[in-house]
């Protein structure tokens, strides 16, 4: 889409089936933000907890708006964040979770967080929630650990993907018009699906 100047780079994907935790380590500080997408299941009911830089202290503040098939509510995660950030829920039905961390490479201030989690099940108690908060640590985040709050393992097929998000400095410097203009970190593309005119705005090689 023309005008979008952020690019997503898949850093790694972890197959978590049969394990209790997912650990992204040695995260480079070369991106602007981080995004984690988890898709998985668990035999039973369990909360998903996230820890940054192995910090299991009380440095997490988080608020949630949550709904089930029969009720809605909002609350501040004061108890559950004493040992990490409880950011989602997983059960025998398939669940998806997206965790976004802004300014993760900043080494002078807290990091803001947003979460979107949905249980893909017809159960009347299935959760759907959104949350936001921050981690008050001032060091750059180079490790993100996702674990199950209670004992047990993720079911087979559970995956988590870590993305790095970058600002594309070329996004607003297209040197021609014509076609559908898209960008990545290195190139500007003009895509023509029909008759059109490619018009350089300056002399090009």
């Amino acid at each position: 889409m023309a005008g979008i100047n952020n690019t997503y780079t898949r850093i790694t994907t972890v197959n978590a089936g049969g394990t209790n935790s997912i650990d992204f380590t040695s995260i480079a500080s070369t991106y602007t933000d981080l995004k984690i997408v988890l898709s998985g299941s668990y035999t039973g009911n369990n909360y998903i907890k996230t820890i940054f830089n192995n910090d299991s202290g009380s440095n997490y503040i988080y608020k949630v708006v949550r709904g089930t098939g029969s009720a809605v509510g909002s609350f501040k995660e004061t108890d559950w964040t004493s040992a990490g950030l409880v950011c989602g829920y997983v059960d025998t039905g398939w669940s998806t979770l997206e965790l976004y961390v802004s300014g993760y490479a900043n080494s002078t201030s807290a990091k803001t967080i947003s979460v979107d989690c949905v249980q893909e099940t017809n159960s009347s108690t299935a959760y759907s929630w959104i949350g936001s908060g921050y981690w008050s640590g001032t060091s750059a985040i180079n490790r993100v650990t996702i674990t199950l709050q209670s004992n047990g393992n993720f079911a087979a097929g559970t995956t988590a993907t870590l993305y790095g998000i970058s600002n594309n400095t070329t996004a607003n410097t297209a040197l021609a018009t014509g076609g559908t203009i898209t960008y990545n970190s290195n190139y500007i593309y003009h895509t023509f699906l029909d008759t059109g005119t490619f018009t350089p705005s300056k002399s090009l090689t």
Side-chain angles (χ1 to χ4, degrees):
M1 180 180 293
I4 298 295
N5 66 348
N6 286 330
T7 59
Y8 280 63
T9 300
R10 186 181 69 84
I11 299 173
T12 187
T13 297
V14 174
N15 294 310
T19 67
N20 181 262
S21 64
I22 301 163
D23 204 11
F24 297 109
T25 61
S26 302
I27 302 172
S29 298
T30 54
Y31 305 97
T32 306
D33 303 325
L34 295 177
K35 182 175 182 178
I36 296 173
V37 178
L38 184 147
S39 178
S41 182
Y42 173 77
T43 303
N45 301 313
N46 221 321
Y47 287 98
I48 301 170
K49 182 174 70 175
T50 299
I51 297 174
F52 300 114
N53 290 2
N54 209 31
D55 177 10
S56 58
S58 57
N59 297 319
Y60 303 86
I61 300 296
Y62 184 55
K63 292 184 178 179
V64 174
V65 176
R66 185 178 72 178
T68 68
S70 58
V72 295
S74 63
F75 49 90
K76 183 178 181 181
E77 301 282 14
T78 54
D79 297 328
W80 292 349
T81 55
S82 61
L85 171 74
V86 173
C87 60
Y89 194 78
V90 63
D91 69 357
T92 51
W94 214 253
S95 299
T96 57
L97 179 146
E98 294 188 1
L99 172 69
Y100 195 99
V101 185
S102 300
Y104 78 102
N106 188 319
S107 59
T108 60
S109 61
K111 319 302 185 291
T112 58
I113 303 156
S114 62
V115 174
D116 184 349
C117 179
V118 177
Q119 287 180 265
E120 299 174 358
T121 173
N122 290 326
S123 169
S124 62
T125 58
Y127 288 130
S128 176
W129 67 10
I130 57 174
S132 64
Y134 67 87
W135 175 59
S136 61
T138 56
S139 57
I141 294 174
N142 56 28
R143 181 178 182 179
V144 180
T145 307
I146 299 173
T147 64
L148 292 172
Q149 181 85 343
S150 304
N151 294 329
N153 296 326
F154 288 107
T158 299
T159 62
T161 301
L162 173 67
Y163 294 93
I165 301 174
S166 302
N167 285 328
N168 180 1
T169 57
T170 67
N172 295 317
T173 58
L175 302 180
T177 60
T180 299
I181 303 174
T182 55
Y183 311 87
N184 65 22
S185 58
N186 298 310
Y187 298 99
I188 302 171
Y189 298 92
H190 295 255
T191 304
F192 292 84
L193 301 179
D194 204 342
T195 301
T197 303
F198 178 81
T199 306
S201 57
K202 62 180 292 185
S203 179
L204 300 177
T205 300

